[in-house]
Amino acid sequence: MKMIYKIARTELQTLFYSPIAWLILIVFTIQSVLKFSGSMGSVVNYQELGYTLSNLSISTFADIRGLFASMQQNLYLYIPLLTMGLMSREFSSGSIKLLYSSPVTDNQIILGKYLSMVFYSLILCAILLVFVIFGAFTIENFDFPAVATALLGLFLLVCAYSAIGLFMSSITSYQVVAAIGTFVILFILKRVGIMWQQIELVRDITYWLSMNGRTKEFMRGLICSEDVLYFLIVIALFIAFSIIRLRANRQKTPLGTTIFRFVAVSLIAVSLGYVSSRPMLMVYHDSTKTDVNTLTQNSQDIVSKLKGGLTINSYVNILDELFWIGMPHSELQDRDRFRQYTRFKPEIKMNYIHYYDKANNPSLDKRYPDLSDRQRMLKYADNLRIDSTLFKTPEEIQKIENLLPEENRFVRTLVRESGEKTFLRVFLDAQVHPSEAEISVAMKRLITKLPKVAFVTGHGERDCNSLGDRDYRKFTVEKTFRYSLINQGFDFEEIKLDEPVSEDVDILVIADVRKPFHENHLKNLYDFIDRGGNLLIAGEPDRQEVMNKIVEPFGVKYLPGRVVKSQHNYQPDFVLAAPTKEGAEIMYKLDEMKEADAVITMPGLAALSYANDSLFNIKELFTVDMSDPSWLELETTNFVDDSVSINPQAGEEIQSNIAAALALERTIPGSGKEQRIVVLGDADCISNAEISISRRNIHAANYNIILGSFFWMSNNEVPIDVRRETPPDGKIFLNPDGMKFSKWAMMVCLPFAMLVIYLLMWIRRRSR
């Protein structure tokens, strides 16, 4: 080891006596200051403008626009300039002969040279550490472990670059050639992950070899054994290559023997990489304060109960507009979407079944109107350079899985070893892929019976299967809508009250009843209520008489008329309702709305009243926004052509508080079961139109009342609660002037200090 240290020390002296090492440090520092001040300056400006900030530690240093991520893009420019002379200088000057004649081994020479680069890498990281320390003093509750993890990833990356540069320097006596060769190798390792991904035999190898994105997990504050071992294996591989090359040159080893050694070392490295990438052998450490890279506890509990094997089958229809998700070249990237789950259940298997069949793809129909489905498949396969025999015919896929109810879209099935199965879908929104909430609830469906929601029909209620503006398909059974009940864990059916409500129904929905219930229907409804069934009841203006027969036994009443206000931009009966403090305490989705100043839109509201002495504990969920005077209009019915005005003679008066939605709760005598009922004064607020439409200057979140109500009525079982603790680092102790001063202080002081150190070393050397 002493000899290795001596060689490293000599190399560092040579390196730091030359201006190039100092020039790189100065340029690196100046770039770091610019990147850091830009990143932190944006944060300071946002804070000055009053925006709410969070997770500042990661966003300032490791986010896509943070310091580390930005500097990572430039590292490949610096390292080849440093490593190009490590060995090639020895070859070109002839000093290699002195090394050969001295009592040092090839291993000591290479390891000593490499150790000098490790030390230089530490200096680069020390420069970045200066900014980290600055951040620790200026950001409240700074998440140092997470930032240190990101810095570790950057250090390993530089060390890997250095090992590659050392090897390229050992194969030529021309330093420029060594630098160019290093650039080429780095480029190949960056791009190899997307090469030959359609070939199954080499897919895993090329994907593992790719250096691109290997620091991604580090930047997020997650240490994974696979990524750490990847860098260590790459470093060891290129150091071994350098030793083999030096030994071949020193001992005049035959070319065949040298090639054999290169191949043998490569095979060992690839084998170790394959083993380290097996999910069951991976070890993780989430260094963030709030464990943002780890499944929430609710999801972990679900996975822990999912005993036995689990297979995720992805059905990929090449004629579907989302076919690209599961194509061969995307499979390994797609597997990474479930990495948080394989961390806790490594035995998860993923299969990809490719086929072609008729799909709802208007673009494809327009481009190839005269081609059959098979001809379209052949066209795509040829364009993507994929063997067309990979795709099963419609008849073949039908024997494997009936995908017609899914409209032959890209879909997955989760299948347990014991036979339970459920669908996991993708969605037509910006995110496309299922989040933790949708994946976890699909897994939960495999291990337990989830709540069943029944929609009452037969009295003119809203249609749950229609796409009409006033109907309810979107939040009930729309498979492409992320927040529909079937995608959030609920079973669904429509029922009539001719017969008693089935025992497996947990929640009953009665929306906008137009015809009175028959006595038999009311009896079956009250029987359901008496046994503790939960309900969601939505009324409408002009339906008070019918709806009151349903809600009056609860101590609730729909008041006559409809809520109106004088306003210019919208019809008088268009109402905004805000969540109450009591509602936010009951349903966390309403608490999120309060924090975001969000409302629900109600185009036609029948006000609600309630008696405090009823059997139920009644609380207001939403009340009408009273920024403008509001009243119950009893006379006007045409709100398009007629204007509205308050008429005290008709009993109309300005209201001080108008309840728009209520939550009722009681304990069933004898059973101890909690019964929960939600009453809405407007059935349109959860319609297809209202949960989809966007209006200028109105921050509406109508789907929150849906998710919040059904979560509460299912006794907090589904949708899965995947909330995380808010990162505590949400404040920075700097103003724009302070940031400007800090920027110029670092810009001047740090490079100047390095320049002074270099000049002192140069003068000292000259004096000798």
Side-chain angles (χ1 to χ4, degrees):
M1 289 298 294
K2 290 183 178 180
M3 185 58 67
I4 294 175
Y5 291 143
K6 287 182 179 180
I7 294 174
R9 181 180 178 182
T10 302
E11 187 62 38
L12 284 171
Q13 289 176 340
T14 303
L15 192 63
F16 281 102
Y17 283 148
S18 68
I20 187 170
W22 290 100
L23 180 61
I24 288 175
L25 287 178
I26 292 173
V27 172
F28 181 82
T29 302
I30 293 173
Q31 281 192 324
S32 298
V33 172
L34 293 175
K35 296 292 184 182
F36 178 71
S37 59
S39 177
M40 183 165 272
S42 299
V43 172
V44 171
N45 291 334
Y46 280 131
Q47 182 171 272
E48 285 293 307
L49 293 172
Y51 287 102
T52 301
L53 305 175
S54 67
N55 205 19
L56 292 183
S57 305
I58 293 294
S59 62
T60 303
F61 287 93
D63 192 61
I64 189 171
R65 289 175 293 182
L67 171 63
F68 295 165
S70 299
M71 295 309 298
Q72 178 182 306
Q73 306 302 318
N74 300 321
L75 284 175
Y76 76 97
L77 298 174
Y78 301 126
I79 303 304
L81 299 178
L82 292 166
T83 59
M84 64 182 183
L86 286 176
M87 291 303 302
S88 58
R89 183 177 59 249
E90 307 285 358
F91 293 134
S92 61
S93 66
S95 59
I96 190 65
K97 295 179 181 179
L98 295 176
L99 286 173
Y100 286 164
S101 61
S102 61
V104 294
T105 64
D106 300 325
N107 294 0
Q108 291 171 334
I109 295 172
I110 295 300
L111 291 176
K113 297 279 188 178
Y114 181 71
L115 184 60
S116 67
M117 288 307 303
V118 171
F119 183 81
Y120 193 91
S121 301
L122 286 172
I123 295 176
L124 292 177
C125 290
I127 293 172
L128 297 177
L129 185 61
V130 172
F131 302 100
V132 174
I133 295 172
F134 180 84
F137 281 100
T138 55
I139 296 176
E140 184 181 41
N141 297 315
F142 186 73
D143 196 347
F144 187 82
V147 176
T149 297
L151 190 58
L152 171 64
L154 212 58
F155 172 69
L156 290 174
L157 181 66
V158 178
C159 289
Y161 285 173
S162 300
I164 295 169
L166 173 60
F167 168 64
M168 295 308 299
S169 180
S170 69
I171 63 176
T172 178
S173 59
Y174 298 98
Q175 296 188 30
V176 175
V177 174
I180 294 174
T182 304
F183 282 123
V184 171
I185 295 295
L186 294 180
F187 176 79
I188 292 174
L189 287 177
K190 185 176 181 180
R191 301 288 297 177
V192 71
I194 61 174
M195 297 169 63
W196 306 302
Q197 289 297 293
Q198 68 274 21
I199 305 174
E200 188 172 356
L201 292 176
V202 299
R203 182 185 303 152
D204 287 327
I205 297 175
T206 57
Y207 191 76
W208 180 85
L209 283 173
S210 176
M211 194 174 287
N212 191 35
R214 281 292 176 176
T215 59
K216 181 176 66 175
E217 301 286 5
F218 287 100
M219 293 297 170
R220 291 162 48 189
L222 180 68
I223 300 176
C224 176
S225 60
E226 180 193 15
D227 295 326
V228 174
L229 290 174
Y230 169 82
F231 285 116
L232 295 180
I233 291 171
V234 168
I235 291 169
L237 175 66
F238 282 95
I239 288 178
F241 280 174
S242 301
I243 293 172
I244 292 171
R245 166 58 185 162
L246 187 60
R247 186 164 298 167
N249 186 65
R250 186 175 191 175
Q251 300 176 356
K252 307 301 180 183
T253 306
L255 180 60
T257 302
T258 302
I259 293 175
F260 173 78
R261 289 173 177 171
F262 278 127
V263 173
V265 170
S266 300
L267 290 176
I268 292 173
V270 171
S271 299
L272 291 174
Y274 176 81
V275 172
S276 68
S277 64
R278 297 307 89 194
M280 65 285 298
L281 298 178
M282 291 185 191
V283 179
Y284 297 84
H285 173 67
D286 192 344
S287 58
T288 59
K289 287 185 177 180
T290 55
D291 290 335
V292 296
N293 303 302
T294 306
L295 290 178
T296 59
Q297 190 58 52
N298 285 340
S299 295
Q300 291 183 44
D301 292 342
I302 292 170
V303 174
S304 67
K305 297 175 183 177
L306 200 58
K307 305 299 182 183
L310 176 67
T311 301
I312 301 177
N313 296 313
S314 300
Y315 293 95
V316 188
N317 182 5
I318 195 172
L319 303 185
D320 174 45
E321 57 186 350
L322 296 177
F323 75 94
W324 48 269
I325 298 173
M327 283 292 102
H329 62 271
S330 303
E331 283 186 16
L332 294 178
Q333 297 176 22
D334 186 61
R335 292 175 192 270
D336 285 344
R337 297 188 177 100
F338 294 87
R339 192 165 184 175
Q340 283 191 332
Y341 289 86
T342 56
R343 171 181 172 181
F344 294 97
K345 191 173 179 61
E347 64 269 25
I348 291 177
K349 297 179 181 179
M350 295 191 66
N351 294 329
Y352 292 84
I353 301 95
H354 303 85
Y355 72 102
Y356 71 92
D357 202 350
K358 184 65 178 177
N360 183 19
N361 191 345
S363 173
L364 190 65
D365 296 335
K366 184 177 181 180
R367 283 180 285 127
Y368 304 119
D370 301 324
L371 298 184
S372 66
D373 289 338
R374 177 169 178 78
Q375 289 172 327
R376 293 175 179 180
M377 178 274 290
L378 293 173
K379 194 85 172 176
Y380 264 42
D382 181 64
N383 181 263
L384 296 170
R385 295 177 176 83
I386 299 175
D387 186 357
S388 61
T389 59
L390 175 68
F391 301 96
K392 299 183 184 299
T393 65
E395 295 75 22
E396 290 173 332
I397 196 65
Q398 187 68 20
K399 294 177 182 178
I400 299 173
E401 186 73 49
N402 181 17
L403 299 174
L404 293 179
E406 298 294 324
E407 299 179 348
N408 291 325
R409 299 179 67 251
F410 178 92
V411 72
R412 307 183 204 265
T413 58
L414 276 59
V415 185
R416 288 187 73 185
E417 195 175 57
S418 52
E420 295 87 355
K421 180 174 68 174
T422 189
F423 282 104
L424 176 63
R425 302 176 179 91
V426 293
F427 309 106
L428 296 181
D429 56 24
Q431 186 177 341
V432 178
H433 301 285
S435 67
E436 180 183 338
E438 290 79 52
I439 298 174
S440 293
V441 82
M443 291 183 174
K444 187 169 185 176
R445 189 181 289 278
L446 298 174
I447 59 177
T448 187
K449 176 188 175 297
L450 294 180
K452 176 178 280 190
V453 180
F455 282 72
V456 174
T457 63
H459 315 90
E461 292 91 346
R462 299 293 173 97
D463 192 334
C464 301
N465 291 295
S466 173
L467 291 172
D469 285 351
R470 301 180 72 252
D471 295 315
Y472 286 174
R473 177 185 174 89
K474 187 156 189 177
F475 90 82
T476 56
V477 295
E478 182 57 56
K479 294 175 181 177
T480 60
F481 183 55
R482 182 180 304 275
Y483 303 109
S484 67
L485 295 181
I486 61 170
N487 288 324
Q488 292 297 324
F490 294 93
D491 291 324
F492 168 85
E493 70 174 1
E494 290 183 311
I495 65 169
K496 294 186 176 181
L497 292 175
D498 298 329
E499 302 291 337
V501 180
S502 173
E503 291 289 336
D504 66 346
V505 172
D506 301 283
I507 302 171
L508 205 61
V509 179
I510 304 174
D512 193 11
V513 176
R514 301 187 179 193
K515 300 176 184 177
F517 278 29
H518 299 300
E519 290 298 325
N520 181 49
H521 293 178
L522 283 174
K523 179 182 181 303
N524 291 330
L525 172 62
Y526 292 146
D527 287 344
F528 174 80
I529 295 171
D530 290 341
R531 75 173 190 235
N534 298 332
L535 292 97
L536 185 144
I537 301 171
E540 274 284 297
D542 304 326
R543 311 270 195 271
Q544 287 93 333
E545 183 178 353
V546 177
M547 296 300 301
N548 280 337
K549 289 186 177 181
I550 299 172
V551 300
E552 281 180 345
F554 310 145
V556 177
K557 184 178 180 179
Y558 284 92
L559 297 177
R562 66 174 65 204
V563 179
V564 298
K565 60 174 61 180
S566 297
Q567 51 189 349
H568 299 291
N569 295 322
Y570 301 102
Q571 287 187 184
D573 63 338
F574 178 76
V575 175
L576 302 180
T580 65
K581 181 180 179 181
E582 289 180 327
E585 292 172 351
I586 295 173
M587 304 175 187
Y588 77 86
K589 283 293 182 181
L590 274 57
D591 186 48
E592 292 177 353
M593 290 182 66
K594 283 188 71 67
E595 291 184 2
D597 292 327
V599 297
I600 60 172
T601 54
M602 294 181 154
L605 169 66
L608 297 167
S609 68
Y610 56 94
N612 290 318
D613 58 351
S614 68
L615 296 175
F616 290 87
N617 179 21
I618 303 177
K619 296 181 179 179
E620 296 178 355
L621 291 178
F622 286 87
T623 55
V624 174
D625 176 18
M626 305 303 289
S627 56
D628 294 318
S630 302
W631 68 93
L632 303 185
E633 178 63 40
L634 302 175
E635 296 181 314
T636 305
T637 58
N638 184 351
F639 296 97
V640 176
D641 301 319
D642 297 342
S643 60
V644 296
S645 60
I646 190 167
N647 182 5
Q649 285 76 23
E652 300 172 355
E653 59 181 23
I654 300 297
Q655 303 289 318
S656 59
N657 180 70
I658 299 176
L662 302 175
L664 292 70
E665 187 175 16
R666 70 167 177 170
T667 302
I668 302 298
S671 67
K673 179 181 179 181
E674 291 289 330
Q675 184 176 35
R676 297 174 174 182
I677 300 174
V678 173
V679 181
L680 303 177
D682 175 38
D684 287 327
C685 69
I686 55 176
S687 66
N688 295 334
E690 285 306 309
I691 63 176
S692 305
I693 196 169
S694 175
R695 296 179 176 90
R696 187 177 181 182
N697 296 329
I698 295 179
H699 184 193
N702 286 37
Y703 56 84
N704 271 33
I705 183 62
I706 299 171
L707 295 180
S709 296
F710 281 96
F711 179 73
W712 183 65
M713 289 187 292
S714 69
N715 297 308
N716 302 349
E717 185 174 1
V718 285
I720 303 297
D721 183 1
V722 293
R723 286 177 295 169
R724 299 177 184 275
E725 182 184 351
T726 302
D729 47 343
K731 183 179 179 181
I732 186 168
F733 305 115
L734 273 179
N735 56 32
D737 291 336
M739 186 65 242
K740 186 176 181 180
F741 173 79
S742 301
K743 171 186 175 180
W744 287 107
M746 289 186 289
M747 181 75 78
V748 173
C749 294
L750 293 178
F752 181 75
M754 292 180 188
L755 182 61
V756 169
I757 294 173
Y758 169 67
L759 291 175
L760 290 175
M761 289 183 65
W762 181 78
I763 293 171
R764 183 167 178 263
R765 188 184 183 193
R766 292 278 295 182
S767 65
R768 288 184 176 182

